[in-house]
Amino acid sequence: MKTSSLFCFIFLLLGSNAYSTEYAVNGDFETGDFTGWAVENDGLTVWQIGSTGYNDPYLGIIEPLFGTYSPITLQLEPSAQILLQLDVTIPAHVYSANVSWFDRITNLGADYELIDEFSGQYFLVGLRFQDGDLLDNVLFLTEPGDPLDQPGPNFRSQDVTALLQDHEGEVASLFFQVSVDRGPIVAQVDDISFDIGTTIPVLIDIKPGSSDNPINNNGHGVIPVAILGSATFDVSAIDIASVSLQGLTVKTTGKGKHVLYHFSDVNADGYIDLFCQIDDSEIVFSEGDTVAELRGQLTNGADFRGEDFITLVP
């Protein structure tokens, strides 16, 4: 395997958010309100937007976790449950999904304890689907014995890929719940992210066997490209008609009846790869380009994308 291709693949895996979508509307709350979110308050115990210089009745001045605004809880009744919630319709072909947020939690009452979804002394983050309850998919929960004061900012993150793959097309409710019946809990959250990827990052090898991948930028000839299979990517599921490199498609001959591709183990790793000839019929690269992008779809409609380095030559 070429070093350049390996580097591109590692980059794709580490930077997979380039192929994903942020579904947390107004996750930093810098609108100064709850735009995109639903709030369920309980009497005088509420989720509210705290701004710079916010004066909490128990803790005094509390600044936002980040920026100018952060949601924060205010408890003025002895027992209550309040909810901050975001509804997201799960897209098809989920490849990756992650929920993350920052929080600050101060429990001024008794030890943490969850009695049920409507009573106890706790801070809870979870995902709920239609007809489900708040405890079905817990992402974070303060437990008995946890420090009462967790000033943070505390970064929390949960991979929810498998969970969302089981609920594609459904509405998922990401919620932050505070239940207080043994004294106040001051909870603050910010920079909430619900990142879902539906594009599969793949490894490609332009001009297999070449170390610098020279391409004549003259709109003539073909560009050989291998889409590399792996234990998690079956190239036989590729819709060859969807494959393009910088918009250039796979070359056909015989009045378009024969498509120039075949399956073989190009890099001798034990997995079958798809080797194709890209029709270099147009000048699509610009001076200084060093990366070419390949896109395509699987026969089930899932998108995939890969990159490799190139060297433009006269």
Side-chain angles (χ1 to χ4, degrees):
M1 184 183 299
K2 295 186 296 183
T3 302
S4 61
S5 295
L6 178 61
F7 176 83
C8 275
F9 188 54
I10 292 174
F11 172 80
L12 287 173
L13 290 181
L14 295 180
S16 61
N17 59 344
Y19 297 165
S20 59
T21 300
E22 178 57 69
Y23 281 78
V25 177
N26 191 29
D28 60 5
F29 300 92
E30 289 304 297
T31 58
D33 57 25
F34 288 112
T35 297
W37 294 76
V39 180
E40 296 180 16
N41 292 323
D42 190 349
L44 297 177
T45 299
V46 299
W47 278 103
Q48 60 182 3
I49 295 292
S51 59
T52 303
Y54 171 76
N55 191 4
D56 181 79
Y58 303 105
L59 301 177
I61 299 298
I62 301 178
E63 298 297 343
L65 288 172
F66 305 103
T68 305
Y69 303 99
S70 291
I72 191 169
T73 61
L74 173 65
Q75 181 186 355
L76 295 177
E77 291 184 347
S79 180
Q81 292 78 40
I82 57 176
L83 201 70
L84 176 63
Q85 179 173 298
L86 172 76
D87 291 339
V88 170
T89 300
I90 307 305
H93 309 304
V94 172
Y95 175 77
S96 63
N98 190 79
V99 173
S100 64
W101 70 94
F102 289 86
D103 62 45
R104 177 185 291 142
I105 310 167
T106 301
N107 181 0
L108 299 172
D111 194 13
Y112 295 111
E113 181 184 12
L114 187 150
I115 299 174
D116 57 41
E117 64 177 306
F118 299 113
S119 61
Q121 184 82 0
Y122 60 82
F123 172 72
L124 168 68
V125 183
L127 277 174
R128 178 172 56 176
F129 297 92
Q130 186 176 7
D131 299 326
D133 64 41
L134 297 176
L135 303 181
D136 282 346
N137 305 290
V138 174
L139 305 183
F140 176 79
L141 173 67
T142 49
E143 302 278 2
D146 284 352
L148 298 184
D149 186 20
Q150 302 180 32
N154 308 295
F155 177 68
R156 327 272 190 187
S157 179
Q158 287 289 334
D159 187 315
V160 294
T161 304
L163 177 60
L164 266 56
Q165 287 173 337
D166 290 336
H167 293 276
E168 292 183 358
E170 298 181 32
V171 174
S173 299
L174 171 64
F175 66 88
F176 296 78
Q177 185 193 32
V178 175
S179 176
V180 286
D181 60 14
R182 302 176 187 177
I185 293 179
V186 179
Q188 194 175 20
V189 296
D190 210 338
D191 278 11
I192 300 169
S193 172
F194 195 165
D195 191 76
I196 304 175
T198 56
T199 299
I200 304 169
V202 300
L203 176 59
I204 69 169
D205 191 356
I206 296 175
K207 292 200 168 182
S210 172
S211 60
D212 53 1
N213 306 338
I215 291 180
N216 293 310
N217 194 28
N218 56 12
H220 299 292
V222 294
I223 304 171
V225 178
I227 305 172
L228 303 183
S230 69
T232 58
F233 187 69
D234 180 7
V235 296
S236 69
I238 292 175
D239 176 5
I240 190 64
S242 72
V243 174
S244 67
L245 182 76
Q246 297 294 126
L248 300 172
T249 58
V250 180
K251 186 175 180 63
T252 60
T253 60
K255 296 182 179 180
K257 294 182 179 180
H258 180 61
V259 185
L260 297 185
Y261 80 100
H262 66 271
F263 296 103
S264 64
D265 187 0
V266 174
N267 57 349
D269 64 351
Y271 296 103
I272 296 299
D273 311 309
L274 189 154
F275 182 84
C276 60
Q277 302 283 357
I278 299 295
D279 190 0
D280 188 15
S281 58
E282 299 179 27
I283 299 176
V284 297
F285 298 102
S286 301
E287 184 178 354
D289 284 352
T290 58
V291 174
E293 179 185 75
L294 180 139
R295 298 189 181 204
Q297 286 187 330
L298 302 183
T299 53
N300 68 358
D303 296 321
F304 65 86
R305 191 184 308 181
E307 295 179 346
D308 198 5
F309 291 108
I310 60 171
T311 301
L312 297 181
V313 296

